[in-house]
Amino acid sequence: MMWLELVPIAPAYMDVANSRWLWLSTLPVVSVVLLQAAIFLRRAWNDGKEMGLSEEKLKTGFKTGLISAIGPSVAVLAGMLALIATVGGPVAWMRLSVIGSVAFELPAAELGLSQFGYSLGDEGITETAYATAVWSMTLGGTGWLLVSAFGTRHMEKVRTKISNGNEKLIPIISAAAMLGAFAYFLSGEVTAGTPETGAVAVGGLAMLALLHLADSRDIQWLREWALGAAMLVGLLVGVVIQVTLGSLW
């Protein structure tokens, strides 16, 4: 029948990629991530109380963090959809739960497949090539985990040494580090194309406008939603520019 010819046939390796056993094997990894998040949240709440923070401030901080995570989560979700189509649901779920960077995962999978002469989306990808791609993604991200595991405990000593014992400089150094991290991630996007430049510019202006409005009128909920709202505005502007103008450079 003619309609059967129109139905796309999934590559053979996708049977393995979406198998029940692979779902079960990734479940412990994701469970550890969720357990870590619960432990960190509990520790942060208890430490905040020991520092003298009120219940209201703790709840405000929790809501601010939750809302601020919406923007990055949307980007991760969009990337997960692309990753599911190439490496299957279980591996995409596991990898983005641990690392959360599609910008790393897709090139790593491509590198693994290229050793067998394949590329993402090709027909005829073998199970061996798929397994190599998964190993490339897993081992390639191990470095970040090792640095976090063995280096995080020394960060406080480094920050104290940089401030030279001046407690007033510590929040300034922390703020500067955050600004530097955001600037590092944005530096590659600003020159990537017109949609990216527009998204960064409008998102930044939206953030400044929302914070100015929140400070001038003392609107607490607006401070909490400012980052998430600015990310959403920037994302929408980038999509509009891409659809209407495309990339001019």
Side-chain angles (χ1 to χ4, degrees), residues 93-164:
W93 184 44
M94 177 191 68
R95 294 304 308 152
L96 294 184
S97 296
V98 176
I99 300 297
S101 174
V102 183
F104 165 77
E105 303 296 348
L106 285 176
E110 180 74 28
L111 179 64
L113 291 175
S114 67
Q115 307 308 306
F116 294 84
Y118 297 111
S119 182
L120 291 174
D122 286 352
E123 296 182 0
I125 295 176
T126 63
E127 287 85 351
T128 303
Y130 170 72
T132 304
V134 175
W135 275 110
S136 299
M137 298 161 67
T138 304
L139 295 178
T142 303
W144 297 337
L145 299 178
L146 292 176
V147 170
S148 300
F150 297 106
T152 302
R153 64 192 325 186
H154 303 294
M155 290 298 102
E156 183 64 27
K157 295 180 180 179
V158 172
R159 191 177 68 163
T160 303
K161 188 173 182 180
I162 293 176
S163 65
N164 198 23

Side-chain angles (χ1 to χ4, degrees), residues 72-86:
S73 298
V74 172
V76 173
L77 178 60
M80 178 176 285
L81 296 178
L83 205 60
I84 287 174
T86 53

Side-chain angles (χ1 to χ4, degrees), residues 204-219 222-227:
L205 292 175
M207 184 69 178
L208 291 175
L210 290 172
L211 288 179
H212 176 72
L213 181 62
D215 291 338
S216 61
R217 301 193 178 184
D218 194 23
I219 307 175
L222 188 57
R223 293 191 187 95
E224 299 170 2
W225 283 89
L227 181 57

Side-chain angles (χ1 to χ4, degrees), residues 157-190:
K157 295 180 180 179
V158 172
R159 191 177 68 163
T160 303
K161 188 173 182 180
I162 293 176
S163 65
N164 198 23
N166 189 344
E167 295 293 331
K168 295 182 179 180
L169 286 179
I170 291 181
I172 298 176
I173 294 173
S174 300
M178 288 299 298
L179 290 174
F182 278 107
Y184 173 78
F185 287 117
L186 288 176
S187 61
E189 299 297 328
V190 170

